[in-house]
Amino acid sequence: MNDFSDLETELKQLRPSRPSDELALWVEQALTASTPSAGILPRRKTSRFNWFSLGLGVATAAAAFLFLARPAVDRPTAPQPTIAQSTATPAMLTPQPPRRTLVPDGVTRVVYGTRDEGLVFPGNREQPMRRLRARSQETLQWRDSSTGASLRVSYPTEEVELIPAVGQ
């Protein structure tokens, strides 16, 4: 029934031949010529010191020290004691100009660019939001009531608005 049964019995009877003496000598020489560690390098006995980590730690400590113990440059200095009194009369002093008061006169906002940036998923929210970005320039104007002089300040603004997107 099985066509390979004769072949299988012949293969079972086969035995490997003994290696030649030359092959055994060649293998023995190859094994003795190899490195004694079999490719594994021994560890160094001296420990390497990581100077980069030390420098980074010292720099961080110095920055923290300067941040916490910063010099008091924003505090006013203590008043100096008066050494001499002024003997000038009020007529001798230069007259001070009247104090000017600026009154708000107007506000202008010019929108010069709006853009729909599409759907975003902010934070851990599952609901998508539509992001709208508007660029504008605001101009504030003040007027001095006594002289009629005016002051204008303009600055750009950018407003980002997130609107919930409702699906159909």
Side-chain angles (χ1 to χ4, degrees):
M1 262 181 152
N2 194 351
D3 295 334
F4 297 109
S5 62
D6 296 334
L7 182 62
E8 286 180 11
T9 56
E10 286 181 27
L11 287 175
K12 286 181 184 177
Q13 293 173 357
L14 290 177
R15 298 287 175 244
S17 64
R18 180 170 173 82
S20 67
D21 292 335
E22 291 178 4
L23 179 64
L25 181 64
W26 181 78
V27 169
E28 184 178 343
Q29 287 175 353
L31 287 176
T32 58
S34 67
T35 60
S37 64
I40 299 173
L41 298 176
R43 289 188 177 201
R44 291 185 187 182
K45 293 183 180 180
T46 60
S47 64
R48 290 189 65 198
F49 191 73
N50 193 349
W51 290 102
F52 179 74
S53 297
L54 178 68
L56 186 62
V58 168
T60 305
F65 176 76
L66 288 176
F67 180 72
L68 295 175
R70 64 188 172 110
V73 294
D74 57 345
R75 295 186 193 134
T77 59
Q80 298 293 329
T82 305
I83 297 175
Q85 294 283 335
S86 175
T87 57
T89 61
M92 296 172 78
L93 297 175
T94 58
Q96 296 293 325
R99 186 168 200 149
R100 296 185 176 155
T101 57
L102 295 174
V103 179
D105 191 34
V107 175
T108 306
R109 182 175 187 210
V110 178
V111 178
Y112 60 89
T114 58
R115 185 172 63 212
D116 185 359
E117 295 184 345
L119 293 176
V120 293
F121 293 87
N124 294 332
R125 297 183 180 183
E126 293 180 12
Q127 181 182 11
M129 311 269 300
R130 182 166 297 279
R131 181 169 38 198
L132 301 174
R133 186 177 302 265
R135 301 175 112 192
S136 62
Q137 182 169 352
E138 291 187 8
T139 303
L140 303 170
Q141 183 174 352
W142 290 277
R143 185 171 302 278
D144 187 358
S145 58
S146 62
T147 62
S150 66
L151 172 69
R152 289 184 186 172
V153 176
S154 296
Y155 57 93
T157 60
E158 184 175 46
E159 183 177 321
V160 177
E161 187 177 2
L162 294 175
I163 301 172
V166 179
Q168 296 288 345

